Amino acid sequence: QVQLAESGGGLVQAGGSLRLSCAASGRTFNRYTMGWFRHAPGKEREFVAAISQSGGSTDYIDFVKGRFTISRDNRKNTVWLQMNSLKPEDTAVYYCAASPGAIFQSDRWYHDWGQGTQVIVSS
């Protein structure tokens, strides 16, 4: 398993940008596919983005394509989510999570989760 800690959330106006960070502990970070999920009040937790172990493959939910970018640096045990052109609909608690296998959008494949970081986008 791996321990994860998100940071970088905050309050931003619509059209603005935020960069979320997820710091991982352990020596085997490069063995995990890393994903970002979000959970808004009254809504179900949903997949946002994921990146493969080496960083060679990425996947995004359609609503964030062209606006969000996921990246990782295995030497630093860190994954980022760069969020541009933010919309009020992006308001949620954002979680990073680790999966031992390939990229999947279902949260059932992700076994380790961070505590979450709040993102609020005002109109």
Side-chain angles (χ1 to χ4, degrees), residues 80-119:
W80 296 272
L81 184 67
Q82 179 67 45
M83 305 186 296
N84 299 325
S85 302
L86 283 162
K87 303 176 180 181
E89 295 87 344
D90 296 318
T91 296
V93 176
Y94 283 70
Y95 299 88
C96 66
S99 169
I103 292 177
F104 292 101
Q105 294 192 1
S106 171
D107 59 6
R108 294 189 177 274
W109 296 100
Y110 297 82
H111 299 160
D112 298 298
W113 295 77
Q115 80 287 349
T117 185
Q118 176 74 61
V119 172

Side-chain angles (χ1 to χ4, degrees), residues 43-106:
K43 298 182 179 179
E44 196 170 334
R45 183 171 62 190
E46 67 176 352
F47 171 84
V48 177
I51 187 167
S52 61
Q53 294 92 330
S54 65
S57 298
T58 59
D59 192 26
Y60 301 90
I61 193 171
D62 286 344
F63 188 69
V64 309
K65 287 183 178 178
R67 300 189 297 120
F68 291 11
T69 302
I70 188 172
S71 60
R72 70 190 295 164
D73 187 340
N74 291 339
R75 296 167 297 180
K76 298 181 178 180
N77 277 20
T78 303
V79 61
W80 296 272
L81 184 67
Q82 179 67 45
M83 305 186 296
N84 299 325
S85 302
L86 283 162
K87 303 176 180 181
E89 295 87 344
D90 296 318
T91 296
V93 176
Y94 283 70
Y95 299 88
C96 66
S99 169
I103 292 177
F104 292 101
Q105 294 192 1
S106 171

